Each structure stands twice: as structure tokens, then as C-alpha cells.
């Protein structure tokens, strides 16, 4: 178990926080697109009010610790590790609450190459605590708009964590999947869970469209987000997303393992 100080040091050493690899240009571009309500960065969220670029920059400075200076337009972006630690503590509290009540949960990722192990550890612990880990709509085909046009993917689960694969990809149980921001996978999973099993998750854990798509439908959702994913932080600010953990979501997968151990320990769950 990492102490808070050791966790902070790990976040900085692994570049999960502090100066991160996400370019400032990417973050600012996402804020411009979000202000224009471009669906590529909305991630399934329909904001209650208009957010312009200066407001988004102030929000991201407050929630992530990025520079609030609009003249800072290039170079690496930054995340305040203190904000990351505080959000991980809030994340752990939601896990504790779910485990105490043994509620059904759904986990899904649009970053399977990076974050699958992080979520799989949570799924194992929640299942051991008595939470039903839902796996609805497995194998379902989903048409997702990408920069290359509309492509068909298959919804699959690895260790209780949902992801999408290109047709002809590795069979169920493999550890590869496609990167996606789309909210369509969580919508399909939730619809199938309600219609075929008569149950909805009380907590969705994930990233990108998994969090925003679930939160938009009124289901409690928590997960990590990078500096170029303003939709999750807007969802949190508007009360549709419970907890967003600011961190770089594209570092090596094993760098997230200490975070899994930290939040499970804080939640009183086995790691």
C-alpha cells in the first residue's frame, strides 16, 4: 500500500501528473471543439448550459491544475498531483459505498491498451465483495463513427471490463481492443442490461464515453480523464458525473497498478 506521499511521488515519476505528455495544443483544441459542441469531444454529454473557451479553461485549471493563462498555447500540459490524489480518495469512497451495498456495477474502457488492468483489478475486488459485475450485450455489433468513417465493432469483456474490438480481432479473453471515445457502447450495454436482465448498474466505472454516456442517463459514473477530455469535468461540474480523476490516460499500463492498490486499500477492499 502506497502512502499518500509515495503515491504523489509515483504520479510525478510516471508522469501521470505534473508535466504530462498531452500537448497543450491538444487540450486547447478540445476546449474549442467542446465550446462548439462538436460530437467528437462531447463523449455523449449534453451540457445543461453553454460553455465557452475561457470558461472551459478556467474549469480545467480548477479541476486539473492546467495553466489558466490563455497565452500558454504550446508545450506539455500539466496536472496538479494534489488534485489527482484528492480525486482518487473520492473515487475510493464511491467504491466503498458500492461494495458496502453490493450494488451491480458496470466497467468499461475506451483505453484498453492502457487502462484495462486498472479496471480489471477493481472488477475483481468488487466481485469478491459481492457486487454483481455486469457483462451485458457481449458480442453485440456497434457502428461507431470514426475519422475514417463509420466502422463496426464488437462489444466484448475481459475480466469483467467492457471494450470494443474490430471484427476479426482476438477472441474473447484477449487483451487487445480498440481506442474509442464513443458513448454508444455504454448505451448498448445499458439497454441490453435493462431489457434482457431487468437490472441496471448503480455505478459505472470507466473513461470517455462510458462515463459521460452513463452520467447523461442519470447513472452514477466515475473515472479518470486527461487534460484534453473536458466533457468529463463539465459533467462533474454539472452534477452528472460523480468523480473525475485528472491524470494522463496514455502512459504504460503497469504505471496504473499502484493506483489500483491505493484506491482499493482506501475503499477497504482486497487488492
Amino acid at each position: 500500500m502506497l502512502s499518500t506521499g509515495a503515491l504523489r511521488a509515483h504520479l510525478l515519476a510516471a508522469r501521470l501528473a505534473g508535466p504530462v505528455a498531452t500537448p497543450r495544443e491538444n487540450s486547447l483544441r478540445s476546449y474549442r471543439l467542446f465550446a462548439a459542441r462538436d460530437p467528437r469531444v462531447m463523449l455523449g454529454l449534453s451540457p445543461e448550459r453553454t460553455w465557452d473557451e475561457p470558461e472551459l479553461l478556467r474549469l480545467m485549471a480548477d479541476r486539473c491544475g492546467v495553466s489558466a493563462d490563455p497565452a500558454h498555447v504550446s508545450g506539455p500540459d500539466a496536472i496538479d498531483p494534489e488534485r489527482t490524489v484528492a480525486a482518487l480518495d473520492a473515487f475510493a469512497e464511491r467504491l466503498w459505498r458500492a461494495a458496502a451495498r453490493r450494488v451491480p456495477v458496470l466497467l468499461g474502457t475506451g483505453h484498453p491498451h492502457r487502462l484495462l488492468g486498472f479496471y480489471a483489478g477493481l472488477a475483481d475486488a468488487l466481485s469478491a465483495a459481492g457486487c454483481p459485475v455486469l457483462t451485458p450485450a457481449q458480442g453485440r455489433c456497434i457502428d461507431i463513427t470514426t475519422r475514417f468513417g463509420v466502422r463496426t465493432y464488437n462489444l466484448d469483456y475481459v475480466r469483467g471490463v467492457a471494450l470494443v474490438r474490430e471484427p476479426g480481432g482476438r477472441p474473447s479473453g484477449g487483451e487487445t481492443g480498440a481506442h474509442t471515445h464513443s458513448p454508444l457502447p455504454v448505451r448498448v450495454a445499458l439497454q441490453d442490461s435493462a431489457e434482457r436482465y431487468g437490472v441496471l448498474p448503480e455505478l459505472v466505472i470507466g473513461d470517455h464515453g462510458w462515463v459521460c454516456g452513463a452520467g447523461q442517463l442519470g447513472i452514477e459514473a466515475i473515472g479518470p480523464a486527461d487534460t484534453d477530455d473536458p466533457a468529463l469535468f463539465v459533467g462533474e461540474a454539472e452534477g452528472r458525473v460523480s468523480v473525475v480523476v485528472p491524470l494522463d490516460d496514455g502512459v504504460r499500463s503497469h504505471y496504473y497498478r499502484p493506483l489500483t492498490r491505493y484506491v482499493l486499500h482506501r475503499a477497504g477492499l482486497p487488492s
Side-chain angles (χ1 to χ4, degrees):
M1 165 57 190
L2 291 178
S3 66
T4 300
L7 173 65
R8 188 182 302 109
H10 171 72
L11 293 171
L12 292 171
R15 296 191 68 184
L16 287 157
V20 294
T22 308
R24 177 72 166 184
E25 297 90 331
N26 286 17
S27 299
L28 295 178
R29 177 177 179 271
S30 292
Y31 308 161
R32 287 193 296 272
L33 292 175
F34 190 94
R37 299 217 169 195
D38 189 306
R40 290 174 294 177
V41 298
M42 303 305 288
L43 310 183
L45 187 75
S46 295
E48 295 177 351
R49 67 176 185 85
T50 300
W51 290 80
D52 61 25
E53 291 178 53
E55 287 177 309
L56 287 167
L57 184 57
R58 288 194 294 270
L59 175 71
M60 297 302 288
D62 177 64
R63 300 296 171 103
C64 292
V66 304
S67 171
D69 183 2
H72 178 198
V73 296
S74 63
D77 224 327
I79 294 173
D80 179 5
E82 299 297 337
R83 289 171 169 84
T84 304
V85 172
L88 286 169
D89 288 342
F91 185 100
E93 192 274 335
R94 295 312 194 280
L95 295 180
W96 171 82
R97 186 187 302 171
R101 296 173 51 224
R102 297 183 179 180
V103 303
V105 296
L106 176 67
L107 300 94
T109 181
H111 267 297
H113 293 84
R114 305 298 184 187
L115 289 166
L116 178 59
F118 172 73
Y119 298 121
L122 304 182
D124 289 344
L126 289 168
S127 178
C131 293
V133 176
L134 306 179
T135 57
Q138 183 159 10
R140 185 73 58 84
C141 293
I142 305 172
D143 293 329
I144 297 176
T145 300
T146 73
R147 59 178 175 168
F148 305 107
V150 177
R151 290 194 169 181
T152 300
Y153 295 88
N154 295 326
L155 183 62
D156 197 6
Y157 290 84
V158 176
R159 292 178 58 192
V161 182
L163 49 80
V164 296
R165 303 181 189 278
E166 295 187 17
R170 292 176 63 178
S172 178
E175 299 229 350
T176 58
H179 175 254
T180 181
H181 287 197
S182 176
L184 292 179
V186 74
R187 292 174 184 168
V188 169
L190 292 173
Q191 182 177 9
D192 185 68
S193 187
E195 293 180 352
R196 191 142 61 103
Y197 302 106
V199 63
L200 283 172
E202 292 193 30
L203 179 66
V204 171
I205 305 168
D207 47 64
H208 292 169
W210 286 93
V211 170
C212 288
Q216 182 66 33
L217 295 174
I219 297 173
E220 184 173 17
I222 62 176
D226 210 329
T227 60
D228 59 355
D229 289 326
L232 284 87
F233 296 97
V234 169
E236 184 181 41
E238 292 191 345
R240 299 189 187 185
V241 174
S242 291
V243 178
V244 184
V245 180
L247 54 77
D248 190 324
D249 60 11
V251 304
R252 295 180 180 181
S253 59
H254 66 273
Y255 289 156
Y256 299 100
R257 292 174 190 162
L259 277 60
T260 304
R261 294 195 294 270
Y262 179 84
V263 297
L264 290 179
H265 179 82
R266 296 284 289 186
L269 298 171
S271 59

